[in-house]
Amino acid sequence: MSATMRAIQAHQFAISGLELTEVPIPTPGKGEVLVRVGAATLNYRDLAVLGGDYIKGLPLPYVPASDACGTVAEIGPGVTRFKKGNRIVPIYTQGWHDGKPTPEQRAKRTLGAPLAGVLQDYILIPEEDAVTPPSHLTDVEAATLPIAGLTAWSALDQANVKPGDDVLLQGTGGVSLFALQFAKLWGARVTILSSSDEKLARAKALGADLCVNYRTTPEWDAEVKRLTGRGADIVVETIGSSLGRSLSAVAFGGTISVVGFVAGYSTELNIRQLIGPMVNVKGIAVGSRRGFVDMNRAIEVAGIKPVVDKTFDLSETAEAFKYMKSGAHFGKIAITM
């Protein structure tokens, strides 16, 4: 094995600050595994971190991105959960195995900042902080799971989705398309929003029941209530700034799972929209290792295949970030090694 490896480092908080560099290959210590990364995928969080506002005071340079799948290349002393040659997917919040995470885990133990990210040939992780991917998925497909897949799973699971529920999804990024597939697995009726009729048609082909173009129908909350007859039992809020309209679109006693902020961090709310219809608004911070294992079991049994829009080479990482920023993607953006 060579003594060095390739890594993408951000030397400034901008896409133009991304550089392909050579760094030493780390050696696994007690309880650690060295993973040869096969593929990684991007999340909106990665773009936000690279913008410099998401994590204040993050030291430069740093290695971006949180989601990857690879193969165990070396194991450290005492490792029992994995062997050399096993395929492996790291969990996003390192150390969060079950129940609720600690504030320290949420603030300091997430891959892709403040911990080093996965856009490098090898990553070093504790053996307890990874799972085995579904066997029918490629490395690229399995690399979509840690944030996008598990966030969608947690958003629906913690909202107690059940057959016959109405689920409202925003956009056609990775989280929304995973939520579409999972909601249909649970027997729910799905309404999806997009500004593109072409993307809505593709979502319908994946199983969406109702489609609303929010560009041609800006009062989409009223349209959702009209189409469903009462509103959505569960809203997966990926936009952030649209929370007010989501409150208008949700059914009496419904749940809004807030998972993203692609259109901004703040919004104005009418508190009566929460109190009168007894709405539950819940923040979703991806999920635990146990939730990841449960999700993977469902994916494998159902034969679910993640939606991957486009794949870039590691040397094309800047182009992959630009593509994400454009909003043109349908599903996930992958980077292969």
Side-chain angles (χ1 to χ4, degrees), residues 30-55:
K30 184 177 180 180
E32 294 181 325
V33 292
L34 182 69
V35 181
R36 176 72 163 96
V37 178
T41 61
L42 298 183
N43 295 283
Y44 185 79
R45 177 188 188 269
D46 304 322
L47 193 60
V49 172
L50 189 58
D53 293 328
Y54 188 73
I55 299 180

Short mmCIF file of all heavy atoms in Angstrom, two decimals, residues 30-55:
data_model
loop_
_atom_site.label_atom_id
_atom_site.label_comp_id
_atom_site.label_asym_id
_atom_site.label_seq_id
_atom_site.Cartn_x
_atom_site.Cartn_y
_atom_site.Cartn_z
N LYS A 30 -6.63 0.71 18.06
CA LYS A 30 -7.50 -0.24 18.74
C LYS A 30 -8.96 0.05 18.44
O LYS A 30 -9.43 1.18 18.60
CB LYS A 30 -7.25 -0.19 20.24
CG LYS A 30 -8.05 -1.22 21.02
CD LYS A 30 -7.72 -1.17 22.50
CE LYS A 30 -8.53 -2.22 23.27
NZ LYS A 30 -8.23 -2.18 24.73
N GLY A 31 -9.68 -0.97 17.95
CA GLY A 31 -11.10 -0.83 17.68
C GLY A 31 -11.43 -0.06 16.42
O GLY A 31 -12.61 0.25 16.18
N GLU A 32 -10.44 0.25 15.59
CA GLU A 32 -10.68 1.04 14.38
C GLU A 32 -10.52 0.21 13.11
O GLU A 32 -9.79 -0.80 13.10
CB GLU A 32 -9.71 2.22 14.31
CG GLU A 32 -9.92 3.26 15.40
CD GLU A 32 -8.95 4.42 15.28
OE1 GLU A 32 -7.78 4.18 14.88
OE2 GLU A 32 -9.34 5.56 15.58
N VAL A 33 -11.19 0.65 12.04
CA VAL A 33 -11.03 0.02 10.74
C VAL A 33 -10.63 1.08 9.72
O VAL A 33 -11.10 2.22 9.77
CB VAL A 33 -12.33 -0.69 10.28
CG1 VAL A 33 -12.62 -1.88 11.17
CG2 VAL A 33 -13.51 0.27 10.28
N LEU A 34 -9.76 0.68 8.81
CA LEU A 34 -9.38 1.54 7.69
C LEU A 34 -10.20 1.11 6.48
O LEU A 34 -10.17 -0.05 6.08
CB LEU A 34 -7.88 1.40 7.38
CG LEU A 34 -7.35 2.28 6.25
CD1 LEU A 34 -7.36 3.75 6.66
CD2 LEU A 34 -5.93 1.85 5.84
N VAL A 35 -10.96 2.04 5.93
CA VAL A 35 -11.91 1.73 4.85
C VAL A 35 -11.42 2.34 3.55
O VAL A 35 -11.12 3.54 3.49
CB VAL A 35 -13.31 2.27 5.19
CG1 VAL A 35 -14.29 1.93 4.07
CG2 VAL A 35 -13.80 1.72 6.52
N ARG A 36 -11.33 1.52 2.52
CA ARG A 36 -11.03 1.99 1.18
C ARG A 36 -12.35 2.46 0.57
O ARG A 36 -13.25 1.66 0.32
CB ARG A 36 -10.44 0.86 0.33
CG ARG A 36 -10.18 1.26 -1.13
CD ARG A 36 -8.99 2.20 -1.21
NE ARG A 36 -8.44 2.30 -2.54
CZ ARG A 36 -8.73 3.26 -3.42
NH1 ARG A 36 -9.61 4.20 -3.12
NH2 ARG A 36 -8.14 3.29 -4.59
N VAL A 37 -12.48 3.76 0.37
CA VAL A 37 -13.75 4.33 -0.08
C VAL A 37 -13.99 3.98 -1.55
O VAL A 37 -13.12 4.19 -2.40
CB VAL A 37 -13.75 5.86 0.11
CG1 VAL A 37 -15.05 6.46 -0.42
CG2 VAL A 37 -13.56 6.22 1.58
N GLY A 38 -15.18 3.44 -1.83
CA GLY A 38 -15.54 3.15 -3.21
C GLY A 38 -16.33 4.27 -3.85
O GLY A 38 -16.15 4.59 -5.02
N ALA A 39 -17.22 4.87 -3.05
CA ALA A 39 -18.06 5.95 -3.57
C ALA A 39 -18.54 6.80 -2.41
O ALA A 39 -18.65 6.35 -1.27
CB ALA A 39 -19.25 5.39 -4.34
N ALA A 40 -18.84 8.06 -2.72
CA ALA A 40 -19.42 9.00 -1.77
C ALA A 40 -20.59 9.69 -2.45
O ALA A 40 -20.71 9.68 -3.68
CB ALA A 40 -18.38 10.02 -1.31
N THR A 41 -21.47 10.31 -1.65
CA THR A 41 -22.55 11.11 -2.23
C THR A 41 -22.63 12.45 -1.48
O THR A 41 -22.21 12.57 -0.34
CB THR A 41 -23.92 10.41 -2.16
OG1 THR A 41 -24.28 10.16 -0.80
CG2 THR A 41 -23.90 9.12 -2.95
N LEU A 42 -23.19 13.44 -2.16
CA LEU A 42 -23.30 14.78 -1.60
C LEU A 42 -24.69 15.01 -1.01
O LEU A 42 -25.68 14.47 -1.50
CB LEU A 42 -23.03 15.83 -2.68
CG LEU A 42 -21.64 15.83 -3.31
CD1 LEU A 42 -21.52 16.98 -4.30
CD2 LEU A 42 -20.54 15.90 -2.26
N ASN A 43 -24.72 15.83 0.02
CA ASN A 43 -25.96 16.31 0.62
C ASN A 43 -25.94 17.83 0.64
O ASN A 43 -24.87 18.45 0.55
CB ASN A 43 -26.10 15.79 2.06
CG ASN A 43 -26.24 14.29 2.12
OD1 ASN A 43 -27.31 13.75 1.85
ND2 ASN A 43 -25.16 13.60 2.45
N TYR A 44 -27.12 18.43 0.79
CA TYR A 44 -27.17 19.89 0.85
C TYR A 44 -26.32 20.41 2.00
O TYR A 44 -25.75 21.50 1.91
CB TYR A 44 -28.61 20.38 0.97
CG TYR A 44 -28.70 21.89 0.91
CD1 TYR A 44 -28.64 22.56 -0.32
CD2 TYR A 44 -28.80 22.65 2.07
CE1 TYR A 44 -28.69 23.95 -0.37
CE2 TYR A 44 -28.85 24.03 2.02
CZ TYR A 44 -28.80 24.67 0.80
OH TYR A 44 -28.84 26.04 0.75
N ARG A 45 -26.24 19.66 3.08
CA ARG A 45 -25.40 20.06 4.21
C ARG A 45 -23.96 20.32 3.77
O ARG A 45 -23.31 21.26 4.25
CB ARG A 45 -25.42 18.97 5.28
CG ARG A 45 -24.50 19.28 6.50
CD ARG A 45 -24.40 18.08 7.42
NE ARG A 45 -23.70 18.44 8.66
CZ ARG A 45 -22.40 18.32 8.85
NH1 ARG A 45 -21.62 17.90 7.84
NH2 ARG A 45 -21.85 18.64 10.01
N ASP A 46 -23.44 19.48 2.87
CA ASP A 46 -22.07 19.65 2.40
C ASP A 46 -21.88 21.00 1.72
O ASP A 46 -20.86 21.66 1.89
CB ASP A 46 -21.70 18.52 1.44
CG ASP A 46 -21.88 17.14 2.07
OD1 ASP A 46 -21.57 16.99 3.27
OD2 ASP A 46 -22.35 16.23 1.37
N LEU A 47 -22.88 21.40 0.95
CA LEU A 47 -22.83 22.70 0.28
C LEU A 47 -22.92 23.82 1.30
O LEU A 47 -22.23 24.84 1.19
CB LEU A 47 -23.98 22.79 -0.72
CG LEU A 47 -23.96 23.92 -1.75
CD1 LEU A 47 -22.71 23.83 -2.63
CD2 LEU A 47 -25.21 23.87 -2.61
N ALA A 48 -23.76 23.64 2.33
CA ALA A 48 -23.90 24.66 3.37
C ALA A 48 -22.60 24.82 4.16
O ALA A 48 -22.17 25.94 4.46
CB ALA A 48 -25.05 24.29 4.30
N VAL A 49 -21.97 23.70 4.51
CA VAL A 49 -20.69 23.77 5.24
C VAL A 49 -19.65 24.48 4.40
O VAL A 49 -18.89 25.33 4.90
CB VAL A 49 -20.21 22.36 5.64
CG1 VAL A 49 -18.80 22.42 6.22
CG2 VAL A 49 -21.16 21.73 6.64
N LEU A 50 -19.60 24.14 3.11
CA LEU A 50 -18.62 24.77 2.22
C LEU A 50 -18.89 26.26 2.07
O LEU A 50 -17.97 27.02 1.75
CB LEU A 50 -18.66 24.07 0.86
CG LEU A 50 -17.56 24.43 -0.14
CD1 LEU A 50 -16.16 24.16 0.44
CD2 LEU A 50 -17.74 23.66 -1.44
N GLY A 51 -20.11 26.69 2.31
CA GLY A 51 -20.43 28.11 2.25
C GLY A 51 -19.89 28.91 3.42
O GLY A 51 -19.85 30.14 3.37
N GLY A 52 -19.49 28.22 4.50
CA GLY A 52 -18.84 28.89 5.63
C GLY A 52 -19.74 29.35 6.74
O GLY A 52 -19.27 29.77 7.80
N ASP A 53 -21.07 29.29 6.54
CA ASP A 53 -22.00 29.78 7.56
C ASP A 53 -22.57 28.69 8.46
O ASP A 53 -23.02 28.98 9.56
CB ASP A 53 -23.19 30.51 6.90
CG ASP A 53 -22.76 31.80 6.20
OD1 ASP A 53 -21.80 32.43 6.69
OD2 ASP A 53 -23.38 32.16 5.18
N TYR A 54 -22.55 27.47 8.00
CA TYR A 54 -23.23 26.39 8.72
C TYR A 54 -22.52 26.01 10.01
O TYR A 54 -23.15 25.77 11.03
CB TYR A 54 -23.37 25.17 7.80
CG TYR A 54 -24.22 24.07 8.37
CD1 TYR A 54 -25.60 24.22 8.45
CD2 TYR A 54 -23.66 22.88 8.82
CE1 TYR A 54 -26.40 23.21 8.98
CE2 TYR A 54 -24.44 21.87 9.34
CZ TYR A 54 -25.80 22.04 9.42
OH TYR A 54 -26.59 21.04 9.95
N ILE A 55 -21.20 25.90 9.97
CA ILE A 55 -20.41 25.60 11.18
C ILE A 55 -19.41 26.73 11.37
O ILE A 55 -18.39 26.81 10.69
CB ILE A 55 -19.67 24.25 11.06
CG1 ILE A 55 -20.68 23.11 10.87
CG2 ILE A 55 -18.81 24.00 12.30
CD1 ILE A 55 -20.04 21.74 10.75
#
